[in-house]
Structures are given as C-alpha cells and as structure tokens.
Amino acid sequence: MKKRVIAIVVILCCILLGIGIFFIVNKNKGEDEKYALYVKQQSFAGSTTKEEWDAQEKANREKEVEKHEVAKGKKISFKGMVNELEIEVKECSKDEIKIWTNIGMSIEENGVMDLVKTRSEFIVKKGEKIRLITPTMDAYDMYEIEYR
C-alpha cells in the first residue's frame, strides 16, 4: 500500500512538472513576434513657381522613413500640412496588418489616386507598400506605408 501511494505521488509530481514546463515554454508564444510598419510622410502645398515646387519635392525626398513597432490597438499620429492623421492597428499577422485612419483617405491603385472615393480601413500586406493621400487638390499629405 505504501509503495502504491509513493508511486502515485511520483507520477503526479511528474505530471505537474511536465505541465509547468509546458506553460513556461509556451508563456510568450505569439507575443514575441514583432510587427513593424515603415511610414514615409510627404506634404505638398499649392505653389505658384517652379522653384517653390522643386524645393518641396527636394524636402520630401530627403525625409526619412520612420519605423514603428506595432501591435493590435497601437496608435500612430502624424501632423501633416492638411490634417492630423492617426493610424490605429486593428489586426496583425505574419501576412498582413489591418489599419484604420481617423480621416477618410484616398489610396493609390494602379498609379491613380481617386480623390472622390475615400475610406478609413486598409490592409498592408507583408512586403508591399500602400500610398494614402488626403483627398484635397491644392495641398495634400501623402503617406507611404510598408509592412516588412
């Protein structure tokens, strides 16, 4: 009887030890993955001279791409020439990141910006870039967003 109790205690200890090791190993599974959005913001104001336009283009070319570590619920803010833009991350996966913007934006599709159709939800696929633009004619802010 005593040997049977000792055997049961040893078996229970091994099971509890195995469960403990399982939870320690899997504790942060999925949380260690890092998601990064790269954003380049550019702004243009209506100009009357070629020199002014050229100066804006040069300034925008020199702007750095900003890296933002993101997770679900993370918000990133940008102060543009036209509006303040807030991007909120709705979902993250290894294949894509779904974002929401606080203002309606136009998206470049096939090299064309449709300033009439705007929306606030976008998907950035891994390895691809999207370009969002404020739907204005005389001055605008453009955001090139990439998920690497």
Side-chain angles (χ1 to χ4, degrees):
M1 177 74 172
K2 196 173 185 179
K3 288 182 181 181
R4 188 179 283 176
V5 171
I6 292 173
I8 291 173
V9 169
V10 169
I11 291 171
L12 286 175
C13 286
C14 289
I15 291 172
L16 290 175
L17 181 63
I19 291 171
I21 290 171
F22 173 81
F23 281 112
I24 290 170
V25 168
N26 292 302
K27 177 183 167 197
N28 293 324
K29 201 158 213 141
E31 294 175 21
D32 290 340
E33 290 190 51
K34 302 258 190 251
Y35 302 99
L37 282 180
Y38 294 80
V39 181
K40 182 173 183 177
Q41 176 186 359
Q42 301 177 45
S43 298
F44 293 91
S47 303
T48 55
T49 69
K50 181 181 181 332
E51 291 79 22
E52 289 174 342
W53 186 259
D54 288 344
Q56 287 182 67
E57 282 190 328
K58 182 178 187 258
N60 282 319
R61 272 194 309 272
E62 292 173 354
K63 286 190 176 178
E64 296 290 323
V65 174
E66 298 176 14
K67 179 181 178 182
H68 298 272
E69 296 289 333
V70 297
K72 184 177 179 179
K74 169 92 177 191
K75 294 180 182 179
I76 311 165
S77 298
F78 301 92
K79 176 137 178 67
M81 187 178 291
V82 177
N83 288 323
E84 287 190 28
L85 177 70
E86 183 176 88
I87 296 174
E88 181 177 352
V89 176
K90 292 295 186 180
E91 293 179 33
C92 296
S93 75
K94 65 180 178 113
D95 299 319
E96 64 187 28
I97 295 179
K98 293 181 182 178
I99 60 172
W100 173 87
T101 59
N102 65 321
I103 56 175
M105 300 289 285
S106 296
I107 186 167
E108 180 182 282
E109 295 177 313
N110 301 320
V112 176
M113 293 282 192
D114 185 343
L115 299 180
V116 177
K117 287 194 297 186
T118 63
R119 61 184 205 223
S120 295
E121 293 186 9
F122 303 94
I123 295 174
V124 186
K125 294 185 182 206
K126 181 97 177 195
E128 296 181 9
K129 293 180 186 178
I130 64 169
R131 290 175 120 184
L132 304 181
I133 187 171
T134 52
T136 51
M137 300 258 317
D138 54 347
Y140 63 90
D141 298 313
M142 183 169 46
Y143 302 86
E144 190 174 83
I145 304 169
E146 181 180 7
Y147 174 30
R148 297 183 192 166

Short mmCIF file of all heavy atoms in Angstrom, two decimals, residues 78-131:
data_model
loop_
_atom_site.label_atom_id
_atom_site.label_comp_id
_atom_site.label_asym_id
_atom_site.label_seq_id
_atom_site.Cartn_x
_atom_site.Cartn_y
_atom_site.Cartn_z
N PHE A 78 0.46 61.49 -36.91
CA PHE A 78 1.28 62.29 -37.80
C PHE A 78 0.64 63.66 -37.94
O PHE A 78 -0.57 63.77 -38.10
CB PHE A 78 1.37 61.65 -39.20
CG PHE A 78 1.94 60.27 -39.19
CD1 PHE A 78 1.12 59.16 -39.08
CD2 PHE A 78 3.31 60.09 -39.27
CE1 PHE A 78 1.65 57.89 -39.06
CE2 PHE A 78 3.85 58.81 -39.26
CZ PHE A 78 3.02 57.71 -39.15
N LYS A 79 1.47 64.70 -37.90
CA LYS A 79 0.98 66.06 -38.14
C LYS A 79 1.33 66.42 -39.57
O LYS A 79 2.48 66.60 -39.91
CB LYS A 79 1.61 67.04 -37.17
CG LYS A 79 1.21 68.48 -37.44
CD LYS A 79 0.89 69.19 -36.17
CE LYS A 79 0.53 70.65 -36.39
NZ LYS A 79 -0.70 70.82 -37.11
N GLY A 80 0.31 66.50 -40.41
CA GLY A 80 0.53 66.83 -41.80
C GLY A 80 0.25 68.29 -42.07
O GLY A 80 -0.13 69.05 -41.18
N MET A 81 0.42 68.66 -43.30
CA MET A 81 0.15 70.03 -43.72
C MET A 81 -1.37 70.28 -43.77
O MET A 81 -1.84 71.36 -43.46
CB MET A 81 0.75 70.28 -45.11
CG MET A 81 0.67 71.71 -45.57
SD MET A 81 1.45 71.93 -47.17
CE MET A 81 3.18 71.69 -46.71
N VAL A 82 -2.13 69.24 -44.14
CA VAL A 82 -3.57 69.38 -44.29
C VAL A 82 -4.31 68.97 -43.02
O VAL A 82 -5.19 69.69 -42.55
CB VAL A 82 -4.06 68.54 -45.49
CG1 VAL A 82 -5.57 68.62 -45.63
CG2 VAL A 82 -3.38 68.99 -46.77
N ASN A 83 -4.00 67.81 -42.48
CA ASN A 83 -4.70 67.25 -41.31
C ASN A 83 -3.73 66.55 -40.38
O ASN A 83 -2.61 66.25 -40.77
CB ASN A 83 -5.73 66.20 -41.76
CG ASN A 83 -6.93 66.79 -42.45
OD1 ASN A 83 -7.41 67.83 -42.09
ND2 ASN A 83 -7.42 66.09 -43.46
N GLU A 84 -4.23 66.26 -39.19
CA GLU A 84 -3.51 65.36 -38.31
C GLU A 84 -4.07 63.96 -38.56
O GLU A 84 -5.28 63.76 -38.49
CB GLU A 84 -3.69 65.77 -36.85
CG GLU A 84 -2.91 67.03 -36.51
CD GLU A 84 -2.87 67.32 -35.03
OE1 GLU A 84 -2.95 66.37 -34.22
OE2 GLU A 84 -2.77 68.50 -34.68
N LEU A 85 -3.21 63.04 -38.87
CA LEU A 85 -3.63 61.68 -39.17
C LEU A 85 -3.28 60.77 -38.01
O LEU A 85 -2.18 60.83 -37.48
CB LEU A 85 -2.95 61.17 -40.44
CG LEU A 85 -3.25 59.72 -40.83
CD1 LEU A 85 -4.69 59.59 -41.29
CD2 LEU A 85 -2.30 59.25 -41.90
N GLU A 86 -4.24 59.94 -37.65
CA GLU A 86 -3.99 58.91 -36.65
C GLU A 86 -4.26 57.56 -37.29
O GLU A 86 -5.32 57.36 -37.90
CB GLU A 86 -4.89 59.09 -35.43
CG GLU A 86 -4.60 58.08 -34.33
CD GLU A 86 -5.43 58.34 -33.10
OE1 GLU A 86 -6.55 57.82 -33.03
OE2 GLU A 86 -4.95 59.09 -32.22
N ILE A 87 -3.29 56.69 -37.21
CA ILE A 87 -3.43 55.32 -37.73
C ILE A 87 -3.53 54.39 -36.53
O ILE A 87 -2.69 54.43 -35.64
CB ILE A 87 -2.21 54.93 -38.60
CG1 ILE A 87 -2.14 55.82 -39.84
CG2 ILE A 87 -2.28 53.46 -38.98
CD1 ILE A 87 -0.89 55.60 -40.68
N GLU A 88 -4.57 53.58 -36.51
CA GLU A 88 -4.73 52.59 -35.45
C GLU A 88 -4.62 51.20 -36.05
O GLU A 88 -5.23 50.90 -37.08
CB GLU A 88 -6.09 52.73 -34.76
CG GLU A 88 -6.28 51.73 -33.64
CD GLU A 88 -7.58 51.89 -32.89
OE1 GLU A 88 -8.30 52.87 -33.12
OE2 GLU A 88 -7.88 51.01 -32.06
N VAL A 89 -3.83 50.35 -35.41
CA VAL A 89 -3.65 48.98 -35.87
C VAL A 89 -4.81 48.14 -35.33
O VAL A 89 -5.01 48.07 -34.13
CB VAL A 89 -2.29 48.41 -35.41
CG1 VAL A 89 -2.15 46.96 -35.82
CG2 VAL A 89 -1.16 49.26 -35.97
N LYS A 90 -5.55 47.55 -36.25
CA LYS A 90 -6.71 46.73 -35.87
C LYS A 90 -6.35 45.26 -35.70
O LYS A 90 -6.87 44.60 -34.81
CB LYS A 90 -7.83 46.88 -36.90
CG LYS A 90 -8.47 48.25 -36.90
CD LYS A 90 -9.16 48.50 -35.60
CE LYS A 90 -9.93 49.80 -35.61
NZ LYS A 90 -10.60 50.06 -34.35
N GLU A 91 -5.50 44.74 -36.61
CA GLU A 91 -5.09 43.34 -36.53
C GLU A 91 -3.68 43.19 -37.08
O GLU A 91 -3.30 43.91 -38.00
CB GLU A 91 -6.02 42.44 -37.35
CG GLU A 91 -7.43 42.34 -36.81
CD GLU A 91 -8.31 41.45 -37.67
OE1 GLU A 91 -7.79 40.48 -38.27
OE2 GLU A 91 -9.51 41.74 -37.75
N CYS A 92 -2.93 42.23 -36.53
CA CYS A 92 -1.58 41.94 -37.01
C CYS A 92 -1.46 40.44 -37.24
O CYS A 92 -1.95 39.65 -36.44
CB CYS A 92 -0.53 42.31 -35.96
SG CYS A 92 -0.41 44.04 -35.58
N SER A 93 -0.80 40.10 -38.33
CA SER A 93 -0.46 38.70 -38.56
C SER A 93 0.85 38.68 -39.34
O SER A 93 1.35 39.73 -39.75
CB SER A 93 -1.56 37.98 -39.35
OG SER A 93 -1.54 38.35 -40.72
N LYS A 94 1.37 37.50 -39.58
CA LYS A 94 2.63 37.41 -40.32
C LYS A 94 2.45 37.79 -41.78
O LYS A 94 3.41 38.12 -42.45
CB LYS A 94 3.25 36.02 -40.19
CG LYS A 94 2.43 34.93 -40.82
CD LYS A 94 3.10 33.58 -40.66
CE LYS A 94 2.22 32.51 -41.26
NZ LYS A 94 2.76 31.90 -42.43
N ASP A 95 1.21 37.81 -42.27
CA ASP A 95 0.95 38.10 -43.68
C ASP A 95 0.47 39.52 -43.95
O ASP A 95 0.68 40.05 -45.04
CB ASP A 95 -0.10 37.13 -44.23
CG ASP A 95 0.35 35.69 -44.15
OD1 ASP A 95 1.54 35.43 -44.43
OD2 ASP A 95 -0.47 34.83 -43.78
N GLU A 96 -0.21 40.14 -42.98
CA GLU A 96 -0.77 41.46 -43.22
C GLU A 96 -1.09 42.18 -41.92
O GLU A 96 -1.21 41.56 -40.87
CB GLU A 96 -2.04 41.36 -44.08
CG GLU A 96 -3.17 40.62 -43.40
CD GLU A 96 -4.37 40.37 -44.30
OE1 GLU A 96 -4.20 40.27 -45.53
OE2 GLU A 96 -5.48 40.28 -43.76
N ILE A 97 -1.21 43.50 -42.05
CA ILE A 97 -1.62 44.34 -40.93
C ILE A 97 -2.82 45.16 -41.39
O ILE A 97 -2.77 45.80 -42.45
CB ILE A 97 -0.49 45.27 -40.46
CG1 ILE A 97 0.67 44.44 -39.90
CG2 ILE A 97 -1.00 46.27 -39.42
CD1 ILE A 97 1.86 45.26 -39.43
N LYS A 98 -3.89 45.11 -40.61
CA LYS A 98 -5.09 45.90 -40.93
C LYS A 98 -5.03 47.18 -40.10
O LYS A 98 -4.82 47.14 -38.89
CB LYS A 98 -6.36 45.11 -40.61
CG LYS A 98 -6.53 43.92 -41.51
CD LYS A 98 -7.79 43.15 -41.21
CE LYS A 98 -7.88 41.93 -42.12
NZ LYS A 98 -9.05 41.12 -41.85
N ILE A 99 -5.23 48.30 -40.80
CA ILE A 99 -5.17 49.60 -40.12
C ILE A 99 -6.45 50.38 -40.37
O ILE A 99 -7.19 50.12 -41.31
CB ILE A 99 -3.95 50.43 -40.58
CG1 ILE A 99 -4.01 50.71 -42.09
CG2 ILE A 99 -2.65 49.75 -40.20
CD1 ILE A 99 -2.94 51.69 -42.58
N TRP A 100 -6.68 51.34 -39.50
CA TRP A 100 -7.82 52.25 -39.59
C TRP A 100 -7.26 53.66 -39.45
O TRP A 100 -6.35 53.90 -38.67
CB TRP A 100 -8.79 51.95 -38.46
CG TRP A 100 -9.91 52.92 -38.34
CD1 TRP A 100 -11.11 52.89 -38.99
CD2 TRP A 100 -9.95 54.08 -37.51
NE1 TRP A 100 -11.87 53.96 -38.62
CE2 TRP A 100 -11.19 54.71 -37.71
CE3 TRP A 100 -9.05 54.66 -36.62
CZ2 TRP A 100 -11.55 55.88 -37.05
CZ3 TRP A 100 -9.41 55.82 -35.97
CH2 TRP A 100 -10.64 56.42 -36.18
N THR A 101 -7.80 54.61 -40.22
CA THR A 101 -7.38 56.01 -40.12
C THR A 101 -8.54 56.84 -39.59
O THR A 101 -9.71 56.55 -39.88
CB THR A 101 -6.92 56.56 -41.49
OG1 THR A 101 -8.00 56.45 -42.44
CG2 THR A 101 -5.71 55.79 -42.00
N ASN A 102 -8.21 57.89 -38.84
CA ASN A 102 -9.25 58.73 -38.25
C ASN A 102 -9.93 59.65 -39.26
O ASN A 102 -10.97 60.23 -38.97
CB ASN A 102 -8.67 59.55 -37.09
CG ASN A 102 -7.63 60.54 -37.56
OD1 ASN A 102 -6.82 60.25 -38.44
ND2 ASN A 102 -7.64 61.73 -36.98
N ILE A 103 -9.35 59.78 -40.44
CA ILE A 103 -9.97 60.58 -41.51
C ILE A 103 -10.01 59.74 -42.78
O ILE A 103 -9.18 58.85 -42.97
CB ILE A 103 -9.22 61.91 -41.77
CG1 ILE A 103 -7.75 61.65 -42.08
CG2 ILE A 103 -9.37 62.86 -40.61
CD1 ILE A 103 -6.96 62.90 -42.47
N GLY A 104 -10.98 60.02 -43.62
CA GLY A 104 -11.06 59.32 -44.90
C GLY A 104 -9.85 59.66 -45.75
O GLY A 104 -9.47 60.82 -45.88
N MET A 105 -9.24 58.64 -46.32
CA MET A 105 -8.06 58.82 -47.16
C MET A 105 -8.31 58.15 -48.50
O MET A 105 -9.07 57.19 -48.60
CB MET A 105 -6.83 58.19 -46.51
CG MET A 105 -6.46 58.74 -45.14
SD MET A 105 -5.78 60.39 -45.19
CE MET A 105 -4.13 60.06 -45.82
N SER A 106 -7.66 58.66 -49.53
CA SER A 106 -7.66 58.02 -50.84
C SER A 106 -6.45 57.10 -50.90
O SER A 106 -5.42 57.40 -50.32
CB SER A 106 -7.56 59.06 -51.95
OG SER A 106 -8.69 59.89 -51.95
N ILE A 107 -6.60 55.99 -51.60
CA ILE A 107 -5.49 55.06 -51.76
C ILE A 107 -5.10 55.02 -53.23
O ILE A 107 -5.95 55.10 -54.11
CB ILE A 107 -5.84 53.64 -51.24
CG1 ILE A 107 -4.62 52.73 -51.27
CG2 ILE A 107 -7.00 53.04 -52.00
CD1 ILE A 107 -4.78 51.44 -50.50
N GLU A 108 -3.80 54.92 -53.46
CA GLU A 108 -3.31 54.81 -54.84
C GLU A 108 -3.55 53.39 -55.32
O GLU A 108 -3.14 52.43 -54.68
CB GLU A 108 -1.82 55.14 -54.90
CG GLU A 108 -1.26 55.05 -56.30
CD GLU A 108 0.23 55.33 -56.34
OE1 GLU A 108 0.61 56.51 -56.27
OE2 GLU A 108 0.99 54.36 -56.42
N GLU A 109 -4.24 53.28 -56.44
CA GLU A 109 -4.49 51.98 -57.05
C GLU A 109 -4.09 52.06 -58.51
O GLU A 109 -4.59 52.91 -59.25
CB GLU A 109 -5.95 51.58 -56.91
CG GLU A 109 -6.34 51.36 -55.46
CD GLU A 109 -7.80 51.03 -55.25
OE1 GLU A 109 -8.67 51.70 -55.83
OE2 GLU A 109 -8.06 50.10 -54.49
N ASN A 110 -3.17 51.21 -58.91
CA ASN A 110 -2.67 51.18 -60.29
C ASN A 110 -2.12 52.54 -60.71
O ASN A 110 -2.33 53.00 -61.84
CB ASN A 110 -3.77 50.73 -61.25
CG ASN A 110 -4.29 49.34 -60.93
OD1 ASN A 110 -3.52 48.46 -60.58
ND2 ASN A 110 -5.59 49.16 -61.01
N GLY A 111 -1.46 53.23 -59.80
CA GLY A 111 -0.84 54.51 -60.11
C GLY A 111 -1.79 55.69 -60.12
O GLY A 111 -1.40 56.81 -60.46
N VAL A 112 -3.05 55.48 -59.73
CA VAL A 112 -4.06 56.55 -59.77
C VAL A 112 -4.60 56.81 -58.37
O VAL A 112 -4.91 55.88 -57.63
CB VAL A 112 -5.22 56.15 -60.71
CG1 VAL A 112 -6.31 57.21 -60.70
CG2 VAL A 112 -4.71 55.90 -62.12
N MET A 113 -4.70 58.08 -58.02
CA MET A 113 -5.33 58.49 -56.76
C MET A 113 -6.73 59.02 -57.07
O MET A 113 -6.87 59.99 -57.79
CB MET A 113 -4.54 59.61 -56.08
CG MET A 113 -3.18 59.19 -55.60
SD MET A 113 -3.33 58.29 -54.08
CE MET A 113 -1.64 58.26 -53.59
N ASP A 114 -7.75 58.34 -56.56
CA ASP A 114 -9.14 58.80 -56.74
C ASP A 114 -9.50 59.64 -55.52
O ASP A 114 -9.68 59.12 -54.43
CB ASP A 114 -10.07 57.60 -56.87
CG ASP A 114 -11.50 58.00 -57.18
OD1 ASP A 114 -11.86 59.18 -56.98
OD2 ASP A 114 -12.26 57.12 -57.62
N LEU A 115 -9.58 60.95 -55.71
CA LEU A 115 -9.84 61.85 -54.59
C LEU A 115 -11.30 61.88 -54.17
O LEU A 115 -11.64 62.50 -53.17
CB LEU A 115 -9.36 63.26 -54.93
CG LEU A 115 -7.87 63.39 -55.23
CD1 LEU A 115 -7.52 64.83 -55.57
CD2 LEU A 115 -7.02 62.89 -54.09
N VAL A 116 -12.16 61.20 -54.92
CA VAL A 116 -13.58 61.18 -54.58
C VAL A 116 -13.89 60.01 -53.65
O VAL A 116 -14.58 60.16 -52.65
CB VAL A 116 -14.45 61.11 -55.86
CG1 VAL A 116 -15.93 61.02 -55.50
CG2 VAL A 116 -14.19 62.32 -56.74
N LYS A 117 -13.34 58.83 -53.97
CA LYS A 117 -13.57 57.65 -53.13
C LYS A 117 -12.57 57.66 -51.98
O LYS A 117 -11.36 57.62 -52.19
CB LYS A 117 -13.38 56.36 -53.93
CG LYS A 117 -14.48 56.06 -54.90
CD LYS A 117 -14.43 54.64 -55.41
CE LYS A 117 -13.20 54.35 -56.19
NZ LYS A 117 -13.17 53.03 -56.83
N THR A 118 -13.09 57.75 -50.78
CA THR A 118 -12.21 57.67 -49.60
C THR A 118 -12.72 56.57 -48.68
O THR A 118 -13.88 56.17 -48.73
CB THR A 118 -12.17 59.00 -48.83
OG1 THR A 118 -13.48 59.29 -48.33
CG2 THR A 118 -11.69 60.14 -49.71
N ARG A 119 -11.81 56.11 -47.86
CA ARG A 119 -12.19 55.13 -46.86
C ARG A 119 -11.23 55.24 -45.68
O ARG A 119 -10.24 55.97 -45.75
CB ARG A 119 -12.22 53.73 -47.43
CG ARG A 119 -10.90 53.25 -47.99
CD ARG A 119 -11.07 51.89 -48.62
NE ARG A 119 -9.81 51.18 -48.63
CZ ARG A 119 -9.37 50.51 -49.64
NH1 ARG A 119 -10.08 50.43 -50.74
NH2 ARG A 119 -8.21 49.88 -49.58
N SER A 120 -11.52 54.48 -44.63
CA SER A 120 -10.71 54.56 -43.42
C SER A 120 -10.06 53.24 -43.03
O SER A 120 -9.28 53.22 -42.08
CB SER A 120 -11.57 55.06 -42.24
OG SER A 120 -12.00 56.37 -42.49
N GLU A 121 -10.39 52.16 -43.70
CA GLU A 121 -9.81 50.85 -43.37
C GLU A 121 -8.96 50.37 -44.53
O GLU A 121 -9.39 50.41 -45.68
CB GLU A 121 -10.91 49.85 -43.05
CG GLU A 121 -11.64 50.20 -41.77
CD GLU A 121 -12.65 49.15 -41.36
OE1 GLU A 121 -12.68 48.06 -41.95
OE2 GLU A 121 -13.40 49.42 -40.43
N PHE A 122 -7.76 49.91 -44.19
CA PHE A 122 -6.81 49.48 -45.21
C PHE A 122 -6.08 48.23 -44.74
O PHE A 122 -5.95 48.00 -43.54
CB PHE A 122 -5.78 50.59 -45.50
CG PHE A 122 -6.43 51.88 -45.91
CD1 PHE A 122 -6.71 52.86 -44.96
CD2 PHE A 122 -6.76 52.12 -47.23
CE1 PHE A 122 -7.31 54.05 -45.32
CE2 PHE A 122 -7.36 53.31 -47.61
CZ PHE A 122 -7.63 54.28 -46.66
N ILE A 123 -5.57 47.46 -45.69
CA ILE A 123 -4.76 46.29 -45.40
C ILE A 123 -3.39 46.50 -46.03
O ILE A 123 -3.29 46.83 -47.21
CB ILE A 123 -5.40 45.00 -45.94
CG1 ILE A 123 -6.72 44.74 -45.22
CG2 ILE A 123 -4.45 43.81 -45.78
CD1 ILE A 123 -7.51 43.56 -45.78
N VAL A 124 -2.35 46.33 -45.21
CA VAL A 124 -0.98 46.42 -45.70
C VAL A 124 -0.43 45.00 -45.68
O VAL A 124 -0.27 44.41 -44.61
CB VAL A 124 -0.11 47.35 -44.82
CG1 VAL A 124 1.27 47.52 -45.44
CG2 VAL A 124 -0.79 48.68 -44.59
N LYS A 125 -0.17 44.45 -46.86
CA LYS A 125 0.33 43.07 -46.95
C LYS A 125 1.84 43.06 -46.78
O LYS A 125 2.53 44.00 -47.15
CB LYS A 125 -0.06 42.46 -48.29
CG LYS A 125 -1.56 42.29 -48.40
CD LYS A 125 -1.94 41.57 -49.65
CE LYS A 125 -3.45 41.50 -49.67
NZ LYS A 125 -3.99 40.43 -50.39
N LYS A 126 2.33 41.98 -46.22
CA LYS A 126 3.78 41.80 -45.98
C LYS A 126 4.54 41.96 -47.29
O LYS A 126 4.20 41.36 -48.30
CB LYS A 126 4.03 40.42 -45.38
CG LYS A 126 5.47 40.13 -45.07
CD LYS A 126 5.75 40.40 -43.63
CE LYS A 126 7.17 40.04 -43.28
NZ LYS A 126 7.36 39.96 -41.88
N GLY A 127 5.56 42.82 -47.27
CA GLY A 127 6.40 43.04 -48.43
C GLY A 127 5.83 44.01 -49.45
O GLY A 127 6.43 44.23 -50.49
N GLU A 128 4.67 44.61 -49.16
CA GLU A 128 4.06 45.55 -50.09
C GLU A 128 3.92 46.92 -49.45
O GLU A 128 3.95 47.05 -48.22
CB GLU A 128 2.69 45.05 -50.55
CG GLU A 128 2.76 43.77 -51.35
CD GLU A 128 1.40 43.29 -51.83
OE1 GLU A 128 0.42 44.04 -51.70
OE2 GLU A 128 1.32 42.16 -52.33
N LYS A 129 3.76 47.93 -50.30
CA LYS A 129 3.53 49.30 -49.85
C LYS A 129 2.16 49.76 -50.31
O LYS A 129 1.69 49.35 -51.37
CB LYS A 129 4.55 50.26 -50.47
CG LYS A 129 5.96 50.07 -50.04
CD LYS A 129 6.86 51.07 -50.73
CE LYS A 129 8.32 50.80 -50.42
NZ LYS A 129 9.22 51.70 -51.11
N ILE A 130 1.56 50.60 -49.49
CA ILE A 130 0.36 51.31 -49.94
C ILE A 130 0.64 52.80 -49.80
O ILE A 130 1.46 53.21 -48.98
CB ILE A 130 -0.92 50.91 -49.16
CG1 ILE A 130 -0.82 51.30 -47.67
CG2 ILE A 130 -1.23 49.44 -49.32
CD1 ILE A 130 -2.14 51.17 -46.92
N ARG A 131 -0.01 53.59 -50.63
CA ARG A 131 0.12 55.05 -50.56
C ARG A 131 -1.25 55.63 -50.27
O ARG A 131 -2.20 55.40 -51.02
CB ARG A 131 0.65 55.61 -51.86
CG ARG A 131 2.08 55.26 -52.11
CD ARG A 131 2.50 55.76 -53.45
NE ARG A 131 3.59 56.70 -53.24
CZ ARG A 131 4.16 57.39 -54.20
NH1 ARG A 131 3.71 57.32 -55.42
NH2 ARG A 131 5.16 58.18 -53.94
#
